[in-house]
Amino acid sequence: MWRREKSLAEHDGRELPELLLRTLSQLDGASLILAPGEIPVYANDEAENLGVLKDGRIQSEELLASIRVVRRTNLKQTGTVEIARGPIGEGKREITVNVIPLSEDNLVLVLLRDESEAQRVHEVRRDFVANISHELKTPIGALSLLSEAVLGAKDDSEAVTKFASRMQIEAKRLTDLVQEIIQLSRVQDSDPLQEAQSLSVNDLLKEALDQCRTTADSRKIALTFAEGADCRVLGDREQLTMAVHNLIENAVNYSPPDTQVSVSTSIDQNIVTVSVADQGIGIADAEIERIFERFYRVDPARSRETGGTGLGLSIVKHIISKHGGEISVWSSENVGSTFSIRLPIQSIKEDEA
Ligand code: ADP
């Protein structure tokens, strides 16, 4: 294996300049120095970790090609190369390379930087924008068709009433969608712990339960709260209420009538767990990983029917992670689901501790 100590290996009987090695050791990312024949005379650990170098040989044909160009022209080359993530599978890393001729001794310096994470973030953003446009088109398209239908049926008051009430539904869907997109981007940009308030968990839960009671009643779902010992958490009241609200609302929306949705808490040392359990349709194992993704819905038709946007759980996940907590889910199809939020406790109420 190529080791850092070997970086001081002699090249043609001469050591590499100390200043060059010291400079390279201060740089972020991977670096290599190659002697003619592309023999590495210096390589830091990152170069090996990236998979660019193995058993003392450069692994990428693309990179070797650009090194040859530098040797021929004596001019710096910049570009990107793809390196396999491992010996199996198709996963690749995108790596930015700078190949620089070092005029002394025909040495070539290669600087590499893994851009996969930046690339991934860029792709997530691009997909998000594409998804938003797609999601907005549906209600906007429906509104435009319905308004034409209203105009076409202006002498038929019954038809006008029918189309107008469908317009109201689509307008509400549009408003909800825009509101959730705004909420998600606010949550992503905020740091709730920077101007955190001290909040009673029981108060937060009661507020969220109150907000969901009307929908639960209309769907004949019994909402229960097993109020246990209270504790306080640090954070943003509106955001935490919204997180619990979204979980309760989903539990209600994805459950048949005459079932129960129960909210409970448990305290273990300095962590409080808030659980929202339902007796609803459940989520298949294959889907469970994906439900926190933006706009992901197991059954788009059902989600649309209940006015879902596919953003609710990704908002919850962001809120909880910004509060230093985590969310998990247990679910079994046609049995029910339990979503659990774990948050760090600020303090336990003295009279109940
Ligand atoms: P939506 O607005 O569609 O409800 P969410 O992000 O809140 O979007 O949830 C994503 C998907 O996860 C939902 O479309 C639904 O398929 C599934 N889901 C969420 N909560 C539950 C639940 N309590 N029971 C069953 N399925 C659920």
Side-chain angles (χ1 to χ4, degrees):
M1 248 208 175
W2 195 260
R3 300 225 163 271
R4 186 179 281 273
E5 304 88 72
K6 279 208 179 168
S7 63
L8 296 173
E10 289 188 359
H11 149 61
D12 277 353
R14 270 168 295 168
E15 278 191 4
L16 294 169
E18 184 59 31
L19 178 64
L20 176 61
L21 294 177
R22 268 216 311 271
T23 312
L24 289 180
S25 71
Q26 299 295 319
L27 291 181
D28 288 337
S31 46
L32 292 169
I33 297 178
L34 302 168
E38 309 338 333
I39 299 161
V41 288
Y42 169 92
N44 65 2
D45 291 345
E46 284 93 330
E48 282 220 30
N49 296 343
L50 277 185
V52 175
L53 199 62
K54 201 164 165 249
D55 303 327
R57 295 173 70 92
I58 301 279
Q59 295 298 306
S60 158
E61 277 307 316
E62 275 177 282
L63 179 55
L64 282 169
S66 65
I67 295 168
R68 274 183 225 119
V69 173
V70 170
R71 289 210 182 278
R72 220 175 35 243
T73 60
N74 217 25
L75 294 172
K76 174 183 159 181
Q77 293 276 310
T78 304
T80 55
V81 296
E82 283 189 342
I83 305 273
R85 283 184 177 269
I88 51 167
E90 292 185 352
K92 292 212 161 48
R93 289 180 208 266
E94 177 149 332
I95 295 182
T96 304
V97 294
N98 275 292
V99 187
I100 302 159
L102 297 178
S103 42
E104 270 181 56
D105 301 333
N106 286 323
L107 295 176
V108 170
L109 169 64
V110 182
L111 300 173
L112 306 117
R113 194 180 276 273
D114 186 356
E115 301 286 348
S116 328
E117 182 54 21
Q119 182 72 12
R120 196 189 62 77
V121 170
H122 174 72
E123 278 167 19
V124 167
R125 281 215 184 110
R126 196 194 50 204
D127 290 352
F128 186 47
V129 172
N131 282 336
I132 287 179
S133 331
H134 175 79
E135 296 286 336
L136 288 173
K137 269 188 202 151
T138 315
I140 291 173
L143 277 173
S144 132
L145 286 175
L146 286 165
S147 63
E148 274 174 36
V150 168
L151 284 176
K154 58 178 181 285
D155 301 325
D156 177 350
S157 71
E158 215 172 287
V160 168
T161 312
K162 189 176 92 189
F163 293 139
S165 59
R166 281 180 50 195
M167 283 176 90
Q168 269 181 335
I169 295 172
E170 294 300 333
K172 178 166 184 322
R173 177 164 304 155
L174 197 55
T175 314
D176 290 348
L177 186 58
V178 170
Q179 241 169 17
E180 293 217 330
I181 291 169
I182 294 170
Q183 276 167 359
L184 182 59
S185 82
R186 277 211 190 116
V187 168
Q188 282 178 313
D189 289 344
S190 72
D191 181 354
L193 294 184
Q194 218 157 37
E195 282 175 34
Q197 300 160 268
S198 167
L199 304 160
S200 141
V201 170
N202 281 350
D203 288 353
L204 287 174
L205 299 185
K206 282 183 211 155
E207 193 174 340
L209 281 153
D210 282 346
Q211 292 170 355
C212 298
R213 227 170 270 288
T214 321
T215 323
D217 288 348
S218 71
R219 297 181 71 93
K220 295 203 175 58
I221 300 222
L223 262 190
T224 65
F225 175 36
E227 188 173 342
D230 199 11
C231 61
R232 302 188 85 79
V233 291
L234 278 176
D236 181 299
R237 185 170 140 257
E238 210 179 308
Q239 284 191 11
L240 288 174
T241 316
M242 190 195 304
V244 181
H245 168 110
N246 286 359
L247 294 183
I248 302 174
E249 196 171 69
N250 278 347
V252 167
N253 283 339
Y254 298 104
S255 291
D258 302 315
T259 57
Q260 186 174 312
V261 168
S262 40
V263 178
S264 58
T265 57
S266 68
I267 293 173
D268 183 15
Q269 295 189 12
N270 45 4
I271 301 287
V272 55
T273 304
V274 174
S275 301
V276 178
D278 65 53
Q279 302 166 328
I281 60 172
I283 305 155
D285 286 349
E287 311 274 3
I288 226 154
E289 290 289 311
R290 303 207 54 193
I291 55 171
F292 294 99
E293 289 174 22
R294 297 151 167 172
F295 294 118
Y296 189 80
R297 303 145 167 134
V298 176
D299 175 354
R302 170 149 193 158
S303 163
R304 197 151 288 138
E305 183 198 309
T306 55
T309 59
L311 289 177
L313 285 180
S314 76
I315 293 176
V316 178
K317 192 171 175 179
H318 274 99
I319 292 178
I320 300 307
S321 94
K322 290 257 176 176
H323 282 80
E326 59 182 16
I327 178 161
S328 58
V329 53
W330 169 91
S331 189
S332 174
E333 274 184 287
N334 300 317
V335 176
S337 312
T338 301
F339 284 81
S340 303
I341 290 173
R342 283 160 48 81
L343 286 168
I345 293 178
Q346 182 202 5
S347 67
I348 295 181
K349 258 191 162 178
E350 266 160 35
D351 50 330
E352 281 157 2

